[in-house]
Amino acid sequence: MKNVEIAPAKGKLGILLVGLGAVSTTTIAGVLAIRKGLAKPIGSLTQMGTIRLGKRTEGRSPKIKDTVPLADLDNIVFGGWDIFAENSYEAARTAGVLESSLLDKIKPELEAIKPMSAVFDQRYVKRLDGPNVKKGKNKMDLAQQLRADIRNFKKDNGLDRLVMVWCGSTEVFMKESAAHQSIEAFEKALEANDPAIPSSMVYTYAALMEEVPYANGAPNLSVDIPAMMALAQQQKMPVVGKDFKTGQTWMKTVIAPGIKARLLGIEGWYSTNILGNRDGEVLDDPESFKSKEVSKLGVLEHILQPHLYPDLYGHMHHVVRINYYPPRGDNKEGWDNIDIFGWMGYPMQIKIDFLCRDSILAAPIVLDLALFMDLAQRCNMSGIQEWLSFYWKSPMTAPGLYPEHDLFIQLMKLKNTLRHLKGEEMITHLGAEYYD
Ligand SMILES: NC(=O)c1ccc[n+]([C@@H]2O[C@H](COP(=O)([O-])OP(=O)(O)OC[C@H]3O[C@@H](n4cnc5c(N)ncnc54)[C@H](O)[C@@H]3O)[C@@H](O)[C@H]2O)c1
């Protein structure tokens, strides 16, 4: 098989993070600590994962980072925007995820990463307000200011390439409207300060116009509208989203395929969480929660395919709750009660109590996405990167295509894409050749 031409990962990669909150600062601090040998990149597929190449008998399982050319952690420069002016050291202290003893060892590097002023409007994130916000005559003007920020960041840091990852707060639930249908309509709406354009879309537009790949870590509508799809194609840029798959939903996409594989039925799945970080506070607003709820609810429907298995999943109750509970900070607790039934309909229950750390689970995902999106741009891959569905609660797909949610299929898809890029054989798991 012929391999795809991949431009080398030469020079420096800039990772622009929108929002320097818990997830972003945990990602940045982690990369800085790993560079200094203070920690290991646990949870990161790009840093620790291997990939089997060829037949099982060949014994070839190199690390992913030795198979495809990814940016080296030493060649990454972080930057970003936030509505609060605290530098990354202060923001990491506020987030309260990592111990001060670790943060103090990388204090000067963290302090040097100061947020650029943000594009923000409280209309879209009701529970937040902050001082470090740009002023402009309209949303197009704000987009131009972001574009200047991107160019200056690239120039000032001597960067070769950039990627942008939205790690900002979850915005209110919005539906696609006329302003989102074409690049032209979108640009007119920017000029007219149309309320149909939330802050996140202003960043997305600026990124794509500056030829920066864009990944959307939150569930809100930002890049998944026809105008942005057209812009990504026009600019030949990869885009991907949405909503990092970290705690409860990750667990759901592990457990649900297992139940379905055994043709066991599900009567109900009740999920509830308590969390006390700023994300929890933002999600305490019903309009932001609605974005999250829609993203979390879609998963089971797609994995279980009730239309194909009406007797097993046709009458399932699926409920998701998030409760803001400050004492827990970033250390979320998620409970799942799953009412299942087996042979002749006999009922059983599965209970999961997951004491997780939201940002500890999210940080390696941010790093992997940044590195893989940079790889995608060097492979000239543009538009939706479905092979990165592995990382998302609501993977974006082409119109009319249902998303693949099963974590193990997603991983196979990701690794087969890497094999394809390298001209290696796809692994089908047929395995008949071993018995010829
Ligand atoms: N941690 C997880 O497991 C996880 C999983 C899935 C999705 N997410 C999403 O990732 C995002 C970040 O989560 P977090 O825990 O870091 O939240 P956080 O509240 O700690 O950080 C978000 C930051 O974004 C900033 N912000 C908000 N709007 C902005 C704007 N328009 N421009 C610039 N900055 C802006 C806020 O001031 C805040 O500092 C949230 O949307 C969250 O829902 C997190």
Side-chain angles (χ1 to χ4, degrees), residues 246-257 259 266-274 296-297 299-300 303-304 316-323 332-340 348-356 358 361 393:
T246 50
Q248 199 165 43
T249 308
W250 159 61
M251 194 54 92
K252 224 169 237 179
T253 61
V254 172
I255 302 290
I259 296 174
I266 303 180
E267 202 190 341
W269 195 313
Y270 181 82
S271 305
T272 188
N273 293 277
I274 50 174
K296 281 178 170 259
L297 282 176
V299 169
L300 284 187
I303 292 179
L304 299 172
M316 189 183 67
H317 299 271
H318 185 199
V319 178
V320 178
R321 296 275 179 267
I322 299 178
N323 293 295
K332 177 156 87 182
E333 182 159 7
W335 290 271
D336 285 276
N337 169 72
I338 317 164
D339 288 294
I340 65 170
M348 295 171 264
Q349 291 185 359
I350 300 174
K351 311 270 181 192
I352 301 170
D353 182 1
F354 187 13
L355 288 101
C356 70
D358 249 9
L361 293 170
K393 279 196 196 65

Side-chain angles (χ1 to χ4, degrees), residues 21-31 33-34 39-45 48 92 95-99 102-103 244-247 250 275 277 279 328-332 354-368 391:
V23 171
S24 291
T25 55
T26 307
T27 307
I28 297 171
V31 169
I34 292 159
K40 295 224 180 305
I42 297 175
S44 161
L45 194 62
M48 298 194 110
V97 178
L98 301 173
E99 287 162 12
L102 176 98
L103 294 176
F244 304 129
K245 175 155 87 175
T246 50
W250 159 61
L275 94 153
N277 57 15
D279 186 32
R328 284 299 173 91
D330 199 64
N331 296 352
K332 177 156 87 182
F354 187 13
L355 288 101
C356 70
R357 292 174 188 263
D358 249 9
S359 303
I360 293 294
L361 293 170
I365 293 184
V366 175
L367 174 64
D368 282 359
Y391 293 106

Side-chain angles (χ1 to χ4, degrees), residues 19-76:
L20 289 176
V23 171
S24 291
T25 55
T26 307
T27 307
I28 297 171
V31 169
L32 296 174
I34 292 159
R35 270 188 204 162
K36 288 198 165 179
L38 299 170
K40 295 224 180 305
I42 297 175
S44 161
L45 194 62
T46 58
Q47 304 306 303
M48 298 194 110
T50 62
I51 181 165
R52 186 188 120 199
L53 300 176
K55 299 202 172 20
R56 269 185 271 163
T57 44
E58 290 178 34
R60 282 199 296 149
S61 288
K63 279 196 164 177
I64 287 176
K65 66 176 182 178
D66 297 330
T67 306
V68 283
L70 298 175
D72 193 271
L73 297 194
D74 285 333
N75 293 329
I76 288 176

Side-chain angles (χ1 to χ4, degrees), residues 17-26 80-84 86 91 94-95 97 115-121 124-125 128-130 132-133 146 166-171 198-200 203 216-220 242-248 275 277-283 288 292 295-296 330 332 356-363 365-366 391-393:
L17 302 172
V18 187
L20 289 176
V23 171
S24 291
T25 55
T26 307
W81 297 266
D82 205 288
I83 66 169
F84 299 107
E86 295 172 304
T94 305
V97 178
M116 297 180 267
S117 61
V119 171
F120 180 77
D121 183 337
Y124 308 104
V125 186
L128 274 192
D129 202 8
N132 193 32
V133 173
L146 287 178
W166 175 273
C167 295
S169 309
T170 299
E171 295 175 323
S199 315
S200 61
Y203 284 94
N216 178 20
N220 40 272
K242 57 187 187 179
D243 203 6
F244 304 129
K245 175 155 87 175
T246 50
Q248 199 165 43
L275 94 153
N277 57 15
R278 193 179 276 153
D279 186 32
E281 191 178 355
V282 168
L283 293 173
S288 285
K292 200 55 132 185
S295 167
K296 281 178 170 259
D330 199 64
K332 177 156 87 182
C356 70
R357 292 174 188 263
D358 249 9
S359 303
I360 293 294
L361 293 170
I365 293 184
V366 175
Y391 293 106
W392 305 109
K393 279 196 196 65

Side-chain angles (χ1 to χ4, degrees), residues 3 8 21-22 40 49 81 142 146 181 201 204 229 241 277 290 329 332 376 392 409 431:
N3 62 313
K40 295 224 180 305
W81 297 266
L142 294 170
L146 287 178
Q181 297 310 313
M201 283 185 196
T204 314
M229 291 297 107
N277 57 15
K290 174 88 176 143
K332 177 156 87 182
W392 305 109
I409 299 179

Side-chain angles (χ1 to χ4, degrees), residues 6 65 88 93 165 175 222 236 249 280 291 395:
I6 311 177
K65 66 176 182 178
S88 295
R93 293 289 297 252
V165 186
K175 287 204 166 123
S222 87
K236 301 197 171 40
T249 308
S291 300

